[in-house]
Amino acid sequence: MKSIAALQAAVTAAAPFDGEPSDAELDAIDWEMPLILADVVLLDAQIMTIDRTPTELDERRIRRARRRVLAARRDLANRAVQAGGAA
């Protein structure tokens, strides 16, 4: 039977992880924050209608939130293309 104990040291011998995001990861989060917030608003609107029939107001709220998510995705894609073209 093959033991994995020897392999485990090689796997865990990678660079130490301090549990904090790097500066690059924080920049990426800041870059995507408008999309993240739009997704949260959409999720909130959908959660409100889980246990009941959506009213007309609920449907409008969900449609508005979906449009906001699409607009945030579009803006993020446009910024990525512009940043890539300028670099």
Side-chain angles (χ1 to χ4, degrees), residues 5-6 8-9 15 20-21 28 36 41 44 50 55-56 63-64 67 73-74:
Q8 187 175 7
E20 297 294 324
I36 294 168
V41 170
D44 286 343
I50 285 178
T55 64
E56 185 177 338
R63 276 195 311 269
R64 194 176 312 119
R67 285 193 305 263
R73 286 181 184 171
R74 179 197 63 219

Side-chain angles (χ1 to χ4, degrees), residues 6-69:
L7 297 176
Q8 187 175 7
V11 171
T12 57
F17 178 67
D18 62 358
E20 297 294 324
S22 68
D23 289 340
E25 291 169 331
L26 290 173
D27 288 342
I29 292 170
D30 284 341
W31 181 267
E32 295 179 2
M33 190 54 70
L35 177 58
I36 294 168
L37 295 175
D39 281 332
V40 168
V41 170
L42 175 59
L43 188 59
D44 286 343
Q46 291 171 334
I47 287 172
M48 285 193 289
T49 62
I50 285 178
D51 60 347
R52 61 185 168 91
T53 304
T55 64
E56 185 177 338
L57 180 62
D58 293 330
E59 290 172 0
R60 279 192 245 161
R61 185 178 292 124
I62 290 171
R63 276 195 311 269
R64 194 176 312 119
R66 283 184 180 145
R67 285 193 305 263
R68 184 175 172 190
V69 167

